[in-house]
Amino acid sequence: MEIEHYMQIAFSLAQGAVGQTSPNPPVGSVVVNHGRIVGMGAHLRAGERHAERVAIDMAGKESVGADLYVTLEPCSHTGKTTPCTDAILQASISRVYVSALDPNPLVAGSGIKRLQKAGIDVQTGICRDFAQELYQPFFHFIQTKQPHVTLKTAMTLDGKIAAFSGHSKWVTSEQSRLDVHRLRHVHDAILTGSKTILHDNPLLTTRLPQGGLHPIRVILDTHLSIPVSSQVIQNTDAPTWIFCGCAASKKREVNFLPYDHVEVFRMNEPAIAVSAVLDKLGARGIMTLLVEGGSSINASFLQADTVDRIISYIAPRLLGGADSLTPIGGESPALMSDAKDFVFVKTEQLGPDLKVTAVPKGSDSNVYRDH
């Protein structure tokens, strides 16, 4: 149908801006007049024009009597920009097609009600599956005030992430590693633990052939054990946020003061609670978090029931060995019934490897499915 066709174009525009609009969602919009696309736009950065305004401005006078397609409900409140409903009314748009309603309390149906009150025909729910996938992180962020968490693992066919010595370069192929950098590009922050910093000394930046956005680097370091010589401290391409326990050395914290891009968050307890970290990140506007930790970090997120999606890269190789490391550490359950249940929603082949995406059982299993 034509309606779905134009909405899919709007979604393709929104998809191109994923990762660069936080804490706002990526939105795409298309203006169609008598079967011709006369305007299109996307929201590219927080504080800049919303997609509807970009599309309407491009359409100009041809917006009169036209149809507007937008992936998310137009806003009706004044924030960093004026209401999109004002722009739609001023442009004399005839019909508005909306995919998803905005759960933000500042919007939450008010945008559609205002348009309908002004006599504009509004239809919703167009391409609902596309909206579920694209806006799952935003919906989660609005409803929980915590970032949407993706746990990434890379392992062998027998579930090993490293040899008993800790050697792990490289488990998966170059194609998979490139895809991980694409993941970093679309996430607001990337999280790991102090053990990973001490053992691998990673940069935790995005390295794509044509560049990419660097996520904020989040380090869980209970005792502030990472040295200032670490790449995440010396490299200034992205901010580094270090979370430590309340008993961590004040003298070590002082060592990080000369580095403007480094910030230390001292928690209220000696141990670092995952939920408290997520609360702090949410308050700082972090909508999406990519966890690239070792087995202990992964276990802490899983045990806290804060994993919203798992992406596993599986290499066609067998390592073996009872002492080889696995993706999830922590205490060993006694019963299979103690397992956390997930649902596979997508599989892809990247070079020789498999990329498997899963979400917790009971969540919307349509989210992240292939379309």
Side-chain angles (χ1 to χ4, degrees):
M1 292 178 62
E2 286 189 357
I3 293 176
E4 284 78 7
H5 169 70
Y6 292 125
M7 187 63 78
Q8 288 173 17
I9 294 174
F11 270 110
S12 68
L13 293 168
Q15 190 67 47
V18 170
Q20 61 187 57
T21 62
S22 291
N24 296 337
V27 178
S29 184
V30 176
V31 178
V32 178
N33 194 325
H34 291 94
R36 295 184 303 114
I37 295 177
V38 294
M40 58 176 60
H43 179 50
L44 298 180
R45 190 177 294 109
E48 295 188 357
R49 288 183 302 165
H50 288 185
E52 302 94 314
R53 284 191 174 274
V54 176
I56 288 171
D57 287 348
M58 180 181 291
K61 294 180 179 179
E62 291 189 272
S63 64
V64 176
D67 298 337
L68 176 74
Y69 295 80
V70 61
T71 57
L72 190 67
E73 179 183 1
C75 64
S76 58
H77 66 284
T78 300
K80 293 183 179 179
T81 61
T82 53
C84 290
T85 51
D86 285 358
I88 294 170
L89 295 174
Q90 292 165 4
S92 298
I93 293 289
S94 177
R95 284 180 296 270
V96 176
Y97 296 96
V98 177
S99 183
L101 300 184
D102 191 337
N104 188 333
L106 295 174
V107 186
S110 62
I112 288 175
K113 289 179 182 178
R114 185 177 180 208
L115 295 176
Q116 291 174 329
K117 187 176 181 180
I120 294 179
D121 180 21
V122 180
Q123 295 185 32
T124 63
I126 316 300
C127 299
R128 190 184 304 273
D129 287 350
F130 284 83
Q132 285 180 320
E133 177 171 353
L134 181 63
Y135 293 124
Q136 182 69 8
F138 174 65
F139 294 163
H140 175 89
F141 177 71
I142 290 295
Q143 292 162 359
T144 67
K145 295 181 172 52
Q146 292 185 344
H148 180 273
V149 175
T150 295
L151 177 65
K152 166 258 168 182
T153 65
M155 59 187 176
T156 61
L157 193 57
D158 56 340
K160 309 296 185 180
I161 62 171
F164 78 94
S165 63
H167 185 264
S168 60
K169 292 187 178 180
W170 293 102
V171 175
T172 53
S173 66
E174 184 178 346
Q175 293 93 327
S176 291
R177 298 196 297 274
L178 180 63
D179 195 67
V180 171
H181 284 283
R182 295 191 186 100
L183 275 181
R184 293 180 180 183
H185 170 74
V186 298
H187 280 79
D188 297 335
I190 179 174
L191 182 146
T192 195
S194 57
K195 290 181 181 178
T196 296
I197 302 299
L198 292 169
H199 185 271
D200 297 332
N201 193 22
L203 270 172
L204 299 181
T205 53
T206 299
R207 297 182 295 282
L208 293 171
Q210 294 181 323
L213 299 175
H214 299 303
I216 293 172
R217 298 172 290 205
V218 179
I219 314 299
L220 303 190
D221 186 5
T222 303
H223 305 293
L224 289 181
S225 59
I226 66 171
V228 294
S229 59
S230 303
Q231 291 198 94
V232 293
I233 305 300
Q234 295 300 318
N235 176 272
T236 61
D237 289 340
T240 297
W241 295 353
I242 305 173
F243 285 79
C244 68
C246 66
S249 168
K250 296 285 183 68
K251 291 182 179 180
R252 289 183 179 178
E253 182 176 351
V254 171
N255 292 334
F256 298 112
L257 291 179
Y259 302 91
D260 292 338
H261 69 292
V262 177
E263 191 169 354
V264 176
F265 297 86
R266 187 174 291 270
M267 309 306 286
N268 294 327
E269 303 293 334
I272 299 175
V274 168
S275 59
V277 171
L278 294 179
D279 284 340
K280 179 68 73 173
L281 294 178
R284 284 295 191 97
I286 301 300
M287 184 169 69
T288 53
L289 176 67
L290 179 64
V291 176
E292 285 195 43
S295 60
S296 296
I297 291 292
N298 294 346
S300 65
F301 273 83
L302 193 66
Q303 290 165 2
D305 287 323
T306 55
V307 176
D308 303 299
R309 175 175 61 163
I310 290 180
I311 295 180
S312 292
Y313 298 88
I314 305 172
R317 57 200 317 190
L318 298 173
L319 185 60
D323 296 326
S324 298
L325 305 182
T326 58
I328 310 294
E331 296 183 5
S332 299
L335 302 173
M336 186 57 68
S337 58
D338 294 328
K340 305 281 187 180
D341 290 325
F342 283 74
V343 178
F344 293 130
V345 294
K346 186 182 294 186
T347 58
E348 306 168 65
Q349 182 146 8
L350 300 174
D353 305 330
L354 283 181
K355 176 185 177 184
V356 179
T357 302
V359 298
K361 187 175 182 179
S363 62
D364 189 341
S365 60
N366 286 324
V367 175
Y368 308 114
R369 284 196 184 277
D370 292 308
H371 297 299

